[in-house]
Amino acid sequence: MNRTWIVIPMYNEASVVGGVIEGLLPSFPNVVCVDDGSSDGSQEIARAAGAVVVQHPINLGQGAALQTGIEYALQDPDLGCIVTFDADGQHRVEDAREMAGRVLSGEADIVLGSRFLDDRTKLSPAKRVVLRTAALQSRMATGLPLTDAHNGLRAFNPYVARNINLTQNRMAHASEFVNKIAKLAPRWVEHPVEIIYTDYSRSKGQSLLNSVNIVAELVLGRN
């Protein structure tokens, strides 16, 4: 995994990000956290835990943070794989390791995490409906038959990284990502992952109402 960079968008995650980074480093020695205008000292904690920290002076949104992290990782001439990983502890290192392995082996250009390929992830009925609706809309719009269109755990090679160029700074970037993958048409697979929902990640994460709004915006063609 020495040829892999973990990209973590980060905004006011001081209470958890250190543990997330420390959990990653034994498997992934290259971790870049893109601090998106945090005011709680997340930057210092991430650096102390062993990550490279790139800072946005103001909050630009998760899409912008991911794009900055991707561009940083692309500067590595030996880059083999990029993995996007959440700062709030929802993602599992084991899943990231398996997904990166599939990219590095040459099996696929991009491996997309899905919480719907097995039954490990526990979702409320309402959130399950919203995520299923988003996946259905994405399939109708792009022709890409994903089971989970809004999963932030992804692994991809430099070819994909160079051709992403996210412009949706806020949460709609997840749908933009899928749209760009559909147009690029790389070799892709989905990989079963478990998303760990805690009280903290629920309080930090995208609300159900925001999820519904994103689906509505996509259906109406605003993005």
Side-chain angles (χ1 to χ4, degrees), residues 182-200:
K183 292 177 181 177
L184 185 61
R187 295 170 302 135
W188 66 274
V189 294
E190 285 190 299
H191 186 88
V193 302
E194 181 182 7
I195 304 299
I196 309 297
Y197 293 108
T198 63
D199 290 340
Y200 175 82

Side-chain angles (χ1 to χ4, degrees), residues 79-161:
L79 177 67
C81 180
I82 292 174
V83 177
T84 61
F85 201 90
D86 284 356
D88 59 9
Q90 287 194 134
H91 294 158
R92 299 171 68 245
V93 177
E94 298 92 332
D95 292 333
R97 191 165 52 235
E98 291 171 1
M99 292 167 68
R102 297 181 76 174
V103 172
L104 292 170
S105 72
E107 177 186 351
D109 298 310
I110 181 166
V111 179
L112 300 157
S114 174
R115 70 202 100 185
F116 294 116
L117 294 180
D118 59 32
D119 60 0
R120 289 177 295 163
T121 300
K122 308 306 177 186
L123 294 165
S124 69
K127 191 168 183 66
R128 184 177 294 274
V129 167
V130 167
L131 291 171
R132 289 290 199 185
T133 300
L136 176 60
Q137 192 282 329
S138 178
R139 179 179 301 195
M140 293 171 62
T142 68
L144 206 63
L146 298 181
T147 61
D148 192 354
H150 282 254
N151 196 310
L153 185 54
R154 320 171 185 92
F156 44 92
N157 63 18
Y159 166 72
V160 172

